[in-house]
Amino acid sequence: IQLETSGRFQKVLEAMICETNELRALYVNEAVKGFGTDEMMLIDVIMTAGPEQMKDMIEKYKKHFLIPMKLRVDLDTSGKFQKVLD
């Protein structure tokens, strides 16, 4: 899907295929990749997840990316915002 599509159409197809926590893990990566951080996306994804969802999301993140999710978020955030997300 990622090779053949882009933009919003790609996001819709990914949302249809991925399970919720896997999709949340992909959104965390999207929020921290590149220049700048999408703080609103991080708040939406991380702060609305329950304990079990968070555990599963961390596991799903490990399957897709080399850097652990907590480290990746910590590298892109700082100060009080970082403490809230931790």
Side-chain angles (χ1 to χ4, degrees):
I1 290 174
Q2 292 177 343
L3 295 175
E4 298 293 327
T5 61
S6 64
R8 292 182 182 185
F9 186 65
Q10 178 183 351
K11 289 186 184 301
V12 169
L13 291 175
E14 287 174 350
M16 291 172 60
I17 292 173
C18 296
E19 55 184 73
T20 305
N21 292 328
E22 185 174 14
L23 192 59
R24 284 175 170 262
L26 295 174
Y27 287 156
V28 168
N29 185 66
E30 184 177 322
V32 296
K33 75 178 181 181
F35 293 109
T37 303
D38 188 344
E39 288 94 2
M40 293 308 293
M41 186 180 288
L42 282 178
I43 290 169
D44 186 38
V45 172
I46 293 175
M47 301 303 285
T48 60
E52 291 301 316
Q53 285 179 313
M54 199 63 179
K55 287 179 187 176
D56 192 37
M57 186 171 39
I58 290 169
E59 289 300 315
K60 302 292 183 188
Y61 194 92
K62 283 181 188 177
K63 290 181 182 180
H64 289 279
F65 308 104
L66 296 174
I67 299 174
M69 187 172 87
K70 183 181 180 333
L71 177 61
R72 187 69 175 103
V73 171
D74 286 350
L75 291 172
D76 263 52
T77 58
S78 63
K80 291 180 182 178
F81 182 61
Q82 183 181 38
K83 288 179 183 179
V84 168
L85 294 176
D86 284 345

